[in-house]
Amino acid sequence: MLHFKHLEPFEDIGGKLIDEINRVGRIREYPKGAPAMDDDDTLEHFYIIIEGRIKVYRYNPANNREQTLYLLGPHDMFDVLTVLDGRRHEVMTEALDHVKALELPIEKVREWLETNPAFNRAFFPYMARQMRQVEELATDLSLYDTSTRLMKLILKNLDLKNPVKHLGLLQNLPHDEIASLIGTVRHVVNRHLQQLKKEGILNIERKKLAVNDVKKLLEKVEKEY
């Protein structure tokens, strides 16, 4: 038995459903650098990330390029699309840290969507946020240069409540992974980060990024709109 505890955004799903999750769910682990759940897995199961980060991306072997669609971290779900349409979602995944995920039978999740209002209140707003994120990625790739895309990515991951201002899922992320998030290459990201450091906006130490001047960063982004 899992002894499932409430995971944000499932704080109010109720004791009966928690008991069922404990009964049908199991914990899966993925080592750092290894593929995580694939499109065969997600035809049968639904996942809620408990610990670690997973990169979800598309890859073109013809030109050896990849584009990260989004990062999954604690409390994120995968794969909401397959839950809804039952179709194979042909994306690739990689564990960026040691990952623990709660694996649930997909048919059970569909049943809860039909019968449990609290589960719905968690699932559908999350799906909407993920759709907006992919839409924003497509817009940014079309309309903004790499410097602006990087600054917007930093702002999106910035926890303004954290006085240290660390960057959430971006923390300790290699620069080539940051590059994949904004559709560019490592050396371009390095150049932009060093420029932001020179301007006193960022502090960079051993891959750890911190924002020193949020106001100045916002002003630079707003100039591009």
Side-chain angles (χ1 to χ4, degrees):
M1 181 169 288
L2 294 175
H3 301 294
F4 174 77
K5 296 181 180 180
H6 289 290
L7 279 174
E8 183 185 339
F10 296 99
E11 295 94 337
D12 63 343
I13 59 175
K16 184 177 180 180
L17 182 53
I18 290 176
D19 290 341
E20 191 166 12
I21 289 173
N22 281 330
R23 181 172 59 83
V24 303
R26 65 170 181 163
I27 300 297
R28 291 288 305 272
E29 298 192 34
Y30 305 93
K32 180 178 179 179
M37 59 286 290
D38 60 25
D39 51 1
D40 286 329
D41 294 325
T42 54
L43 283 174
E44 302 292 335
H45 300 98
F46 181 73
Y47 298 86
I48 302 172
I49 310 305
I50 298 173
E51 297 177 8
R53 295 171 294 180
I54 293 175
K55 174 176 69 172
V56 181
Y57 66 103
R58 300 293 294 267
Y59 173 70
N60 184 351
N63 56 18
N64 199 33
R65 293 182 62 182
E66 69 175 51
Q67 175 63 56
T68 299
L69 301 176
Y70 40 82
L71 298 180
L72 302 175
H75 319 306
D76 281 322
M77 309 177 211
F78 191 71
D79 186 348
V80 296
L81 291 181
T82 304
V83 168
L84 294 176
D85 65 14
R87 296 173 56 189
R88 187 179 297 275
H89 191 186
E90 295 181 353
V91 293
M92 303 179 74
T93 64
E94 179 185 341
L96 299 178
D97 313 294
H98 184 88
V99 170
K100 289 185 179 180
L102 174 64
E103 181 182 78
L104 298 164
I106 199 167
E107 292 304 325
K108 275 294 181 182
V109 173
R110 291 180 178 132
E111 177 185 319
W112 298 332
L113 287 172
E114 293 181 0
T115 61
N116 191 290
F119 193 88
N120 278 331
R121 288 194 296 270
F123 181 90
F124 286 107
Y126 177 84
M127 182 184 70
R129 289 195 299 272
Q130 196 170 76
M131 291 174 65
R132 287 181 183 275
Q133 181 176 338
V134 174
E135 179 184 18
E136 183 178 356
L137 172 62
T139 302
D140 287 353
L141 290 173
S142 301
L143 300 181
Y144 300 108
D145 60 23
T146 53
S147 176
T148 304
R149 298 202 297 267
L150 176 61
M151 291 187 291
K152 290 185 66 180
L153 178 69
I154 291 171
L155 286 170
K156 184 173 68 174
N157 284 273
L158 183 61
D159 182 4
L160 295 176
K161 297 179 181 179
N162 186 340
V164 182
K165 298 185 178 64
H166 283 179
L167 296 178
L169 294 179
L170 299 185
Q171 200 59 44
N172 300 321
L173 201 63
H175 291 178
D176 55 346
E177 297 292 356
I178 295 177
S180 184
L181 281 164
I182 61 172
T184 187
V185 292
R186 179 189 179 98
H187 75 269
V188 174
V189 166
N190 289 342
R191 184 173 71 244
H192 292 323
L193 289 175
Q194 291 304 316
Q195 180 61 35
L196 292 172
K197 180 179 180 180
K198 182 178 180 181
E199 295 176 26
I201 294 174
L202 288 185
N203 183 51
I204 307 172
E205 293 183 7
R206 297 182 180 179
K207 298 182 183 178
K208 291 184 179 181
L209 303 179
V211 178
N212 295 327
D213 194 331
V214 177
K215 182 180 178 181
K216 192 171 182 180
L217 181 60
L218 283 167
E219 289 173 349
K220 283 180 67 70
V221 172
E222 288 171 358
K223 288 179 181 179
E224 302 299 326
Y225 282 87

Coordinates of all heavy atoms in Angstrom, one line a residue, residues 161-218:
K161 N 8.3 34.9 -4.3 CA 8.1 34.8 -2.8 C 9.4 34.4 -2.1 O 9.6 34.5 -0.9 CB 7.0 33.9 -2.5 CG 5.6 34.3 -3.0 CD 4.6 33.3 -2.6 CE 3.2 33.8 -3.1 NZ 2.1 32.7 -2.8
N162 N 10.3 33.8 -2.9 CA 11.6 33.3 -2.4 C 12.6 34.5 -2.4 O 13.0 35.0 -3.4 CB 12.1 32.2 -3.3 CG 13.3 31.5 -2.7 OD1 14.0 32.1 -1.9 ND2 13.6 30.3 -3.2
P163 N 13.1 34.9 -1.2 CA 14.0 36.0 -1.2 C 15.3 35.7 -1.9 O 16.0 36.7 -2.3 CB 14.2 36.2 0.3 CG 13.8 34.9 1.0 CD 12.7 34.3 0.1
V164 N 15.7 34.4 -2.0 CA 16.9 34.1 -2.7 C 16.7 34.2 -4.2 O 17.6 34.4 -4.9 CB 17.4 32.7 -2.2 CG1 18.7 32.3 -2.9 CG2 17.6 32.6 -0.7
K165 N 15.5 34.1 -4.6 CA 15.1 34.2 -6.0 C 15.8 33.1 -6.9 O 16.3 33.4 -7.9 CB 15.4 35.6 -6.5 CG 14.6 36.7 -5.8 CD 14.9 38.1 -6.5 CE 14.0 39.1 -5.8 NZ 14.4 39.4 -4.4
H166 N 15.8 31.9 -6.4 CA 16.2 30.8 -7.3 C 15.2 30.5 -8.3 O 14.0 30.9 -8.2 CB 16.5 29.6 -6.4 CG 17.8 29.7 -5.7 ND1 18.3 28.7 -4.8 CD2 18.8 30.6 -5.6 CE1 19.4 29.0 -4.3 NE2 19.7 30.2 -4.8
L167 N 15.6 29.8 -9.3 CA 14.7 29.7 -10.5 C 14.0 28.3 -10.7 O 14.0 27.8 -11.8 CB 15.6 30.0 -11.7 CG 16.2 31.4 -11.7 CD1 17.0 31.6 -13.0 CD2 15.0 32.4 -11.8
G168 N 13.5 27.8 -9.6 CA 12.6 26.7 -9.8 C 13.2 25.5 -10.6 O 14.2 25.0 -10.3
L169 N 12.4 25.1 -11.6 CA 12.8 24.0 -12.4 C 14.1 24.2 -13.2 O 14.7 23.3 -13.7 CB 11.7 23.5 -13.3 CG 10.4 23.0 -12.7 CD1 9.4 22.7 -13.7 CD2 10.7 21.8 -11.8
L170 N 14.5 25.5 -13.4 CA 15.7 25.8 -14.1 C 17.0 25.6 -13.2 O 18.1 25.6 -13.8 CB 15.7 27.2 -14.6 CG 14.6 27.6 -15.6 CD1 14.8 29.0 -16.1 CD2 14.6 26.7 -16.8
Q171 N 16.8 25.5 -11.9 CA 17.9 25.5 -11.0 C 18.9 24.3 -11.3 O 18.4 23.2 -11.4 CB 17.5 25.5 -9.6 CG 18.5 25.9 -8.6 CD 19.0 27.3 -8.8 OE1 18.2 28.2 -9.1 NE2 20.3 27.6 -8.8
N172 N 20.2 24.6 -11.5 CA 21.2 23.6 -11.8 C 21.0 22.9 -13.1 O 21.6 21.9 -13.4 CB 21.2 22.5 -10.7 CG 21.5 23.1 -9.3 OD1 22.4 24.0 -9.2 ND2 20.9 22.6 -8.3
L173 N 20.2 23.5 -14.0 CA 19.9 22.9 -15.3 C 21.1 23.2 -16.2 O 21.5 24.4 -16.3 CB 18.6 23.4 -15.9 CG 17.9 22.6 -16.9 CD1 17.5 21.2 -16.4 CD2 16.7 23.3 -17.5
P174 N 21.7 22.2 -16.9 CA 22.8 22.5 -17.8 C 22.3 23.5 -18.9 O 21.1 23.5 -19.3 CB 23.1 21.2 -18.4 CG 22.6 20.2 -17.4 CD 21.4 20.8 -16.8
H175 N 23.3 24.3 -19.4 CA 22.9 25.3 -20.4 C 22.4 24.8 -21.7 O 21.6 25.4 -22.3 CB 24.1 26.3 -20.6 CG 24.4 27.1 -19.4 ND1 25.5 28.0 -19.4 CD2 23.8 27.2 -18.2 CE1 25.5 28.6 -18.2 NE2 24.6 28.1 -17.5
D176 N 22.8 23.6 -22.0 CA 22.2 23.0 -23.3 C 20.8 22.6 -23.1 O 20.0 22.7 -24.0 CB 23.1 21.8 -23.7 CG 23.2 20.7 -22.7 OD1 22.9 21.0 -21.5 OD2 23.6 19.6 -23.0
E177 N 20.4 22.3 -21.8 CA 19.0 22.0 -21.6 C 18.1 23.3 -21.6 O 17.0 23.3 -22.1 CB 18.8 21.3 -20.2 CG 19.4 19.9 -20.2 CD 18.8 18.9 -21.0 OE1 17.7 19.2 -21.7 OE2 19.3 17.8 -21.1
I178 N 18.7 24.4 -21.0 CA 18.0 25.7 -21.1 C 17.9 26.1 -22.6 O 16.8 26.6 -23.0 CB 18.8 26.7 -20.3 CG1 18.8 26.4 -18.8 CG2 18.2 28.1 -20.6 CD1 19.6 27.3 -18.0
A179 N 18.9 25.8 -23.4 CA 18.9 26.2 -24.8 C 17.7 25.4 -25.5 O 17.0 26.0 -26.3 CB 20.2 25.8 -25.5
S180 N 17.6 24.2 -25.2 CA 16.5 23.4 -25.8 C 15.1 23.9 -25.4 O 14.2 23.8 -26.2 CB 16.6 21.9 -25.4 OG 15.7 21.1 -26.1
L181 N 15.0 24.5 -24.3 CA 13.7 25.1 -23.9 C 13.3 26.3 -24.7 O 12.1 26.6 -24.8 CB 13.7 25.5 -22.4 CG 13.6 24.3 -21.4 CD1 14.0 24.8 -20.0 CD2 12.2 23.8 -21.3
I182 N 14.3 27.0 -25.3 CA 14.0 28.2 -26.0 C 14.4 28.1 -27.5 O 14.4 29.1 -28.2 CB 14.6 29.5 -25.4 CG1 16.2 29.3 -25.3 CG2 14.1 29.7 -24.0 CD1 16.8 30.6 -24.9
G183 N 14.7 26.9 -27.9 CA 14.9 26.7 -29.4 C 16.2 27.3 -29.9 O 16.2 27.8 -31.0
T184 N 17.3 27.1 -29.1 CA 18.6 27.6 -29.6 C 19.7 26.6 -29.2 O 19.4 25.5 -28.9 CB 18.8 29.0 -29.0 OG1 20.0 29.5 -29.7 CG2 19.0 29.1 -27.5
V185 N 20.9 27.1 -29.1 CA 22.0 26.2 -28.8 C 22.8 26.8 -27.6 O 22.6 27.9 -27.2 CB 23.0 26.1 -30.0 CG1 22.3 25.3 -31.1 CG2 23.5 27.4 -30.5
R186 N 23.6 25.9 -27.0 CA 24.3 26.2 -25.7 C 25.1 27.5 -25.7 O 24.9 28.3 -24.8 CB 25.2 25.0 -25.3 CG 25.9 25.3 -24.0 CD 27.0 24.2 -23.8 NE 27.7 24.4 -22.6 CZ 27.4 23.7 -21.5 NH1 26.5 22.9 -21.4 NH2 28.2 24.0 -20.4
H187 N 25.9 27.7 -26.8 CA 26.8 28.9 -26.7 C 26.0 30.2 -26.8 O 26.4 31.2 -26.3 CB 27.8 28.8 -27.9 CG 27.3 29.1 -29.2 ND1 26.8 28.2 -30.1 CD2 27.2 30.3 -29.9 CE1 26.4 28.7 -31.2 NE2 26.6 30.0 -31.1
V188 N 24.8 30.2 -27.4 CA 23.9 31.4 -27.5 C 23.4 31.7 -26.1 O 23.4 32.8 -25.6 CB 22.8 31.2 -28.5 CG1 21.8 32.4 -28.4 CG2 23.3 31.0 -29.9
V189 N 23.0 30.6 -25.4 CA 22.5 30.8 -24.0 C 23.6 31.3 -23.1 O 23.4 32.2 -22.3 CB 21.9 29.5 -23.4 CG1 21.7 29.6 -21.9 CG2 20.6 29.2 -24.1
N190 N 24.8 30.7 -23.2 CA 25.9 31.2 -22.4 C 26.2 32.7 -22.6 O 26.4 33.4 -21.7 CB 27.2 30.4 -22.8 CG 27.2 29.0 -22.4 OD1 26.4 28.6 -21.5 ND2 28.0 28.2 -22.9
R191 N 26.1 33.1 -23.9 CA 26.4 34.5 -24.2 C 25.4 35.4 -23.6 O 25.7 36.5 -23.0 CB 26.4 34.7 -25.7 CG 26.8 36.2 -26.1 CD 26.9 36.3 -27.6 NE 25.7 36.2 -28.3 CZ 25.3 35.3 -29.2 NH1 26.2 34.3 -29.4 NH2 24.2 35.3 -29.8
H192 N 24.1 35.1 -23.7 CA 23.0 35.9 -23.1 C 23.1 35.9 -21.6 O 22.9 37.0 -20.9 CB 21.6 35.4 -23.5 CG 21.4 35.5 -25.0 ND1 21.8 36.6 -25.7 CD2 20.7 34.7 -25.9 CE1 21.4 36.5 -27.0 NE2 20.7 35.4 -27.1
L193 N 23.4 34.8 -21.0 CA 23.5 34.7 -19.5 C 24.7 35.6 -19.0 O 24.5 36.3 -18.0 CB 23.7 33.3 -19.0 CG 22.5 32.3 -19.1 CD1 22.9 30.9 -18.8 CD2 21.3 32.8 -18.3
Q194 N 25.8 35.5 -19.7 CA 26.9 36.4 -19.3 C 26.6 37.9 -19.4 O 27.0 38.7 -18.6 CB 28.1 36.0 -20.1 CG 28.7 34.6 -19.8 CD 29.0 34.5 -18.3 OE1 29.6 35.4 -17.7 NE2 28.7 33.3 -17.7
Q195 N 25.8 38.2 -20.5 CA 25.4 39.6 -20.6 C 24.5 40.1 -19.5 O 24.7 41.2 -18.9 CB 24.7 39.8 -22.0 CG 24.2 41.2 -22.2 CD 25.4 42.2 -22.3 OE1 26.5 41.9 -22.8 NE2 25.2 43.4 -21.8
L196 N 23.6 39.2 -19.1 CA 22.7 39.5 -18.0 C 23.5 39.6 -16.7 O 23.2 40.5 -15.8 CB 21.6 38.5 -17.8 CG 20.6 38.5 -19.0 CD1 19.6 37.2 -18.8 CD2 19.7 39.7 -19.0
K197 N 24.5 38.8 -16.5 CA 25.4 38.9 -15.3 C 26.2 40.2 -15.4 O 26.3 40.9 -14.3 CB 26.3 37.7 -15.3 CG 27.3 37.7 -14.1 CD 28.2 36.4 -14.2 CE 29.1 36.5 -13.0 NZ 30.0 35.3 -13.0
K198 N 26.7 40.6 -16.5 CA 27.4 41.8 -16.7 C 26.6 43.0 -16.3 O 27.1 44.0 -15.7 CB 28.0 41.9 -18.1 CG 28.8 43.1 -18.4 CD 29.3 43.1 -19.8 CE 30.2 44.4 -20.1 NZ 30.6 44.4 -21.5
E199 N 25.3 43.0 -16.6 CA 24.4 44.1 -16.3 C 23.9 44.1 -14.9 O 23.1 44.9 -14.5 CB 23.2 44.0 -17.3 CG 23.6 44.3 -18.7 CD 22.4 44.1 -19.7 OE1 21.2 44.3 -19.2 OE2 22.6 43.8 -20.8
G200 N 24.3 43.1 -14.1 CA 23.9 43.0 -12.7 C 22.6 42.4 -12.5 O 22.1 42.5 -11.4
I201 N 22.0 41.8 -13.5 CA 20.6 41.3 -13.4 C 20.7 39.9 -12.8 O 19.9 39.5 -12.0 CB 19.9 41.2 -14.7 CG1 19.7 42.7 -15.2 CG2 18.6 40.5 -14.7 CD1 19.1 42.8 -16.6
L202 N 21.7 39.1 -13.2 CA 21.8 37.7 -12.7 C 23.1 37.5 -11.9 O 24.1 38.2 -12.1 CB 21.8 36.7 -13.9 CG 20.6 36.4 -14.7 CD1 20.9 35.4 -15.8 CD2 19.4 36.0 -13.8
N203 N 23.0 36.5 -11.1 CA 24.2 36.0 -10.4 C 24.3 34.5 -10.8 O 23.4 33.8 -10.8 CB 24.1 36.1 -8.9 CG 25.4 35.6 -8.2 OD1 26.5 36.1 -8.5 ND2 25.2 34.7 -7.2
I204 N 25.5 34.1 -11.3 CA 25.7 32.8 -11.8 C 26.9 32.1 -11.1 O 28.0 32.7 -11.2 CB 26.0 32.8 -13.3 CG1 24.9 33.5 -14.1 CG2 26.1 31.3 -13.8 CD1 25.1 33.7 -15.5
E205 N 26.7 31.1 -10.4 CA 27.8 30.3 -9.7 C 27.5 28.8 -9.8 O 26.5 28.3 -9.3 CB 27.8 30.7 -8.2 CG 28.2 32.2 -8.0 CD 28.4 32.5 -6.5 OE1 28.3 31.5 -5.7 OE2 28.6 33.6 -6.1
R206 N 28.4 28.1 -10.5 CA 28.3 26.7 -10.7 C 26.9 26.2 -11.1 O 26.3 25.4 -10.5 CB 28.7 26.0 -9.4 CG 30.1 26.3 -8.9 CD 30.5 25.5 -7.7 NE 31.8 25.7 -7.2 CZ 32.4 25.2 -6.1 NH1 31.6 24.4 -5.4 NH2 33.6 25.5 -5.8
K207 N 26.5 26.8 -12.2 CA 25.2 26.5 -12.8 C 24.0 27.0 -12.0 O 22.8 26.9 -12.5 CB 25.0 25.0 -13.0 CG 26.0 24.3 -14.0 CD 25.7 22.9 -14.1 CE 26.7 22.2 -15.0 NZ 26.4 20.7 -15.1
K208 N 24.2 27.5 -10.8 CA 23.1 28.1 -10.0 C 22.8 29.5 -10.5 O 23.8 30.3 -10.4 CB 23.4 28.0 -8.5 CG 23.5 26.6 -8.0 CD 23.7 26.6 -6.5 CE 23.7 25.2 -5.9 NZ 23.9 25.1 -4.5
L209 N 21.6 29.8 -10.8 CA 21.2 31.1 -11.3 C 20.4 31.7 -10.2 O 19.5 31.1 -9.6 CB 20.4 31.0 -12.6 CG 21.0 30.3 -13.8 CD1 20.1 30.3 -14.9 CD2 22.3 31.0 -14.2
A210 N 20.6 33.0 -10.0 CA 19.7 33.8 -9.1 C 19.5 35.2 -9.7 O 20.5 35.7 -10.3 CB 20.3 33.9 -7.7
V211 N 18.4 35.7 -9.6 CA 18.1 37.0 -10.1 C 18.3 38.1 -9.1 O 17.7 38.1 -8.0 CB 16.6 37.1 -10.6 CG1 16.3 38.5 -11.1 CG2 16.3 36.1 -11.7
N212 N 19.3 39.0 -9.4 CA 19.6 40.1 -8.5 C 18.7 41.3 -8.6 O 18.5 42.0 -7.7 CB 21.0 40.5 -8.7 CG 22.1 39.5 -8.4 OD1 21.8 38.7 -7.5 ND2 23.2 39.5 -9.1
D213 N 18.2 41.5 -9.8 CA 17.4 42.7 -10.1 C 16.2 42.4 -11.0 O 16.2 42.4 -12.2 CB 18.2 43.8 -10.8 CG 17.6 45.2 -10.8 OD1 16.4 45.3 -10.8 OD2 18.4 46.1 -10.9
V214 N 15.1 42.0 -10.3 CA 13.9 41.6 -11.0 C 13.3 42.8 -11.8 O 12.8 42.6 -13.0 CB 12.8 41.1 -10.0 CG1 11.5 40.7 -10.7 CG2 13.3 39.9 -9.3
K215 N 13.3 44.0 -11.2 CA 12.7 45.1 -11.9 C 13.4 45.4 -13.2 O 12.8 45.6 -14.3 CB 12.8 46.4 -11.0 CG 12.2 47.6 -11.6 CD 12.4 48.8 -10.7 CE 11.8 50.1 -11.3 NZ 12.0 51.2 -10.4
K216 N 14.8 45.3 -13.2 CA 15.5 45.6 -14.4 C 15.3 44.5 -15.5 O 15.2 44.8 -16.7 CB 17.0 45.7 -14.1 CG 17.9 46.2 -15.2 CD 19.3 46.4 -14.8 CE 20.2 47.0 -15.9 NZ 21.6 47.2 -15.4
L217 N 15.1 43.3 -15.0 CA 14.8 42.2 -16.0 C 13.4 42.4 -16.6 O 13.3 42.2 -17.8 CB 14.9 40.8 -15.2 CG 14.6 39.6 -16.0 CD1 15.6 39.4 -17.2 CD2 14.6 38.3 -15.2
L218 N 12.5 42.8 -15.8 CA 11.1 43.0 -16.3 C 11.2 44.2 -17.3 O 10.5 44.1 -18.4 CB 10.2 43.4 -15.2 CG 9.7 42.2 -14.4 CD1 9.0 42.7 -13.1 CD2 8.7 41.4 -15.2

